[in-house]
Amino acid sequence: MSAIKLTIDGREIEVAPGTTILEAARQLGKDIPTFCYDPELPPNGACRICVVEVEKARALVASCVAPVGAGMVVYTESERVINARKAILTLLIANHPLDCITCEKTGECKLQDYCYRYGVADSDFGGEVKELADDDTNAFFVRDMNKCILCGICVGKCQDVIGAGAIDFTRRGFVSNVGPPFEDAIEDSTCVFCGLCIDSCPVGALIPRYSLGRGRPWQVEKTKTVCPYCSIGCNVTLHVKDNEVIGISPAEENPVNRGHLCVKGKFGWDYLKSGDRLTRPLVKSNGAFVEVSWEEALGLITDNLDQVLDRYGSEAIMGLCSPKTTNEESYLFQKLIRSLGTNNVDSYTRHCHAPAVDGMMEAFGSAAMTNSIGELSETQAVFVIAADPSESHPVISYRVREAVRKGAKLIVADPEPIGLTDLAHHYLPLQEGSAVALVNAMANVIIEENLHDRTFIEKRTEGFEALKSAVAKYTPRYAAEITGIGEDDLRSAARAYAGAEKAAVISTVGMDYSAGNGGLVLALANLALLTGNLGKESAGLYLPYGENNLQGASDMGALPAVLSGYQPVKEKAIREKFSRSWGVKISEEPGLSAADVFQKGSQDPVKAMYILDENPVSCLGGEDSETARFLGDLDFLVVQDIFMTETAALADVILPAAAFAEQQGTYTNTERRVQLTRQAVKPPGEAHPGWAIIAELAGWLGFDWDYGGPEDVFAEMASLTPQYAGMSYEKLAVQGLQWPCPSKDHPGTAFLYEGRFSRGLGLFSVVGHEAAGPEETGAGSCIAAHHACQCQSESMSRRSVIDNFIVSKMCGR
């Protein structure tokens, strides 16, 4: 249809059919007041503050629900409009506390701003007012419902966007309120404490507890950065006053989270100001730690590493990096270890996500999530198996809910109901350990009913005939005996997935901490290849990682067999390229993995370790484990961290590092988006940014490194790493870039494998039910393992009330 032409306040504009008057006015830069309107929610025109005058219309119309019409003439600030808005505001403040002098929302309150704009100071309407008690029973925010104007945005966000359904309108008429059913306390409801209601509230009804009395909006400096908790990489804005973070809000414009957060991102940052932070270098003397200068600590590390090198050789040294550190830290860390003559450098990327990494490498030739998170909202079918994104990656669950609202079919397969089961068109409560059989049976149905994409299979894959033969026995009847799923339900699910033009699979099998061959991942890859759901938008395989920079740590070469960009150390040309840049000789022998080292224990050749922001003692059995004994028996152990962890307690030297809000750098999220994290506050005491510590230690060890800052580190890394070659801090500043980004004029890659897989042709794999590994035991075990490791990474004794509440909510303990 052709564009519609109309006039708003004397200015002509053309807009698409279906555009509302409000949307058209905003395209012209007109600021029409709104209370109940939110672009994510269906407009309802309830508050009427957005009314405008339309020529020839009998009455004022609510601009948020009224569509434009050809030749329409609109006035957004006529006398009738202004008088109507004044009347609405006068009615609102008649039953609203006018404690604006002390209200925490002053400066950011829409009601206050509109009253100022239209000169409404008090109300002529007398009578009864609400007198509700404040609800300050939870650890996160205070509810003063006397200030609620019943706009309903929080209700819509909670029910439609988040899916928690914790609150709704209660009672009727004058005593109407917003709250949980039966007016229960919010912590006894289904609230997930994502904070979206707080960020959406236009008045002072919902205030974060952490910001109470801490500062006015105009006293706060705001710094955009990246949430450090999980691999989604949500963009957040830190609110800083007097070198202290006093609040956090989601970034509205970022494509990753689009103004959404989860409980961890919104409230789980108060550890920054913990009194237990490491603030000075520590050296163990006679069994106890004593504070020393940086010079003493670095000198001691240099002397001891030199002794190990002289006595045992370079293979006696190992570095263990964390998937929580920045790309710059990970890159410099593996560069330092390799400059010492060994490839014994690793991170917990494989330990945490071995099935996902192995499976995707075999099927596609690359271990990265295929598509962008935002694309999920436009997919036509979503298959969720062995995952509960509502718990593990809430922002992904928000996108799934959005897709379902737009008409997508949702298939959920898990032994127990998960957070998305209420929306599922097909719920498959499969038996534990039968996921591979289920997926193979779906493949069987798709092939038998000719629902597979023959063109895609012929042109872009190999191994189809072997797969066809292998899944022939997995008829719905055969699979029903294994999975417990009825034949008709299985067929319907397979048809729903294969019948969509764009279908996505979501699984967190990689969160299982047991090693595996990626059997379920291979089966899911078969399903995507079979239906041609790869290499295009809003389709693909979504296997989100756990830690925030797990993708980046792998990309940076914190692995024993590859340098940055997954370039094998065994290839001479690769080694020579890095050697020329670094000025050192790089060993051609792949190094030891962390699993190899910790399993061998005292028989291992490693005598000295440098552990960067990682806590293997907690993750691998605790203080009485073989891992703890191995680390305790090393000739020398250096730990760099922000807290005294169980692993740090075994160290000979501890180096205090900066946390995410205290340094600049980059993270690479699970959709391969490289994003800038910016410094908002100074590190406590003498703690330093991780990249600076590693660079300084390299100087003590005799290497001539010259970096003026993390941007220089990134530039060197990008020059050596094909996937990052076109990236720079300047290009990353707006909303980041997704690799591969091979040249400076390249826009980044939203989805992988358009036209070609990394290995050439996509590979169908024969995966039998008997070969299914323990990674496919359902979402519950995977998520529990993931959260347990995250939760154990810091001692419970150091957690604040908010941290403990998060743990109890997310981990059930």
Side-chain angles (χ1 to χ4, degrees), residues 744-768:
K744 295 187 183 301
D745 58 350
H746 196 281
T749 305
F751 55 90
L752 296 177
Y753 313 134
E754 185 177 17
R756 185 183 185 277
F757 290 97
S758 298
R759 66 181 303 278
L761 296 176
L763 177 65
F764 284 106
S765 300
V766 174
V767 186

Side-chain angles (χ1 to χ4, degrees), residues 411-430:
I411 308 155
V412 172
D414 201 85
E416 301 291 337
I418 64 170
L420 291 171
T421 303
D422 62 315
L423 289 180
H425 301 88
H426 307 275
Y427 173 49
L428 311 176
L430 71 165

Side-chain angles (χ1 to χ4, degrees), residues 563-636:
L563 291 141
S564 66
Y566 309 95
Q567 300 173 85
V569 296
K570 277 190 166 294
E571 291 190 15
K572 182 179 179 181
I574 298 297
R575 293 197 309 275
E576 290 179 346
K577 179 178 73 169
F578 280 86
S579 294
R580 286 193 300 271
S581 175
W582 293 355
V584 297
K585 182 179 179 181
I586 297 172
S587 172
E588 64 182 271
E589 293 300 322
L592 297 168
S593 71
D596 291 337
V597 170
F598 290 133
Q599 288 169 5
K600 290 180 181 179
S602 60
Q603 305 301 314
D604 197 272
V606 172
K607 303 299 180 184
M609 287 191 73
Y610 183 1
I611 298 179
L612 181 66
D613 292 326
E614 192 55 86
N615 190 4
V617 172
S618 179
C619 288
L620 297 176
E623 297 177 0
D624 295 326
S625 64
E626 288 297 326
T627 299
R629 281 188 282 275
F630 168 75
L631 292 174
D633 290 339
L634 288 171
D635 288 12
F636 190 65

